[in-house]
Amino acid sequence: MIPKYVIEYRISFRKHDQSSHYGTDDPVACEEFLLELLERGYKILSIKHEGVDLPDHDFDKMVKTAACMMAAHHVCKSLGIKAEEEKYRFGLAA
């Protein structure tokens, strides 16, 4: 069965690029994987939902959510606070 969400991404090495994809039926797992790609600086080629590229607005929304999750995680880690306090003080968590 084809997963609902598929992320196509590229990992660049010194002498070559490696393209790959990740698939899941869970939109939260999709955003968490996007977070991992953003943290590592991997190129996000496309995000598909049920085999069709997401519209630009939805693509941007998913990337923004992942970026906010990443920022919230780093703020919690750097300040030694819990997610609830981060959300109250900074409002980054999705």
Side-chain angles (χ1 to χ4, degrees):
M1 188 156 85
I2 298 173
K4 284 188 178 184
Y5 293 94
V6 175
I7 300 172
E8 295 179 10
Y9 61 97
R10 178 178 300 133
I11 302 169
S12 295
F13 298 100
R14 286 187 202 154
K15 297 192 180 200
H16 72 282
D17 293 333
Q18 176 68 43
S19 295
S20 192
H21 68 278
Y22 168 81
T24 183
D25 290 331
D26 182 3
V28 175
C30 184
E31 290 168 347
E32 290 172 348
F33 189 77
L34 283 171
L35 182 154
E36 297 288 335
L37 294 174
L38 290 172
E39 280 208 317
R40 288 165 176 74
Y42 295 161
K43 174 91 171 151
I44 300 167
L45 302 173
S46 70
I47 304 172
K48 297 180 187 294
H49 181 254
E50 296 182 351
V52 178
D53 284 336
L54 284 178
D56 290 342
H57 175 74
D58 294 336
F59 177 95
D60 293 351
K61 186 176 176 183
M62 285 195 89
V63 171
K64 181 179 178 180
T65 299
C68 286
M69 290 168 55
M70 181 178 63
H73 173 77
H74 285 286
V75 166
C76 289
K77 186 176 177 182
S78 293
L79 300 179
I81 61 176
K82 294 185 179 185
E84 296 81 20
E85 185 176 353
E86 176 281 318
K87 187 172 184 176
Y88 174 76
R89 289 175 63 186
F90 302 101
L92 295 171

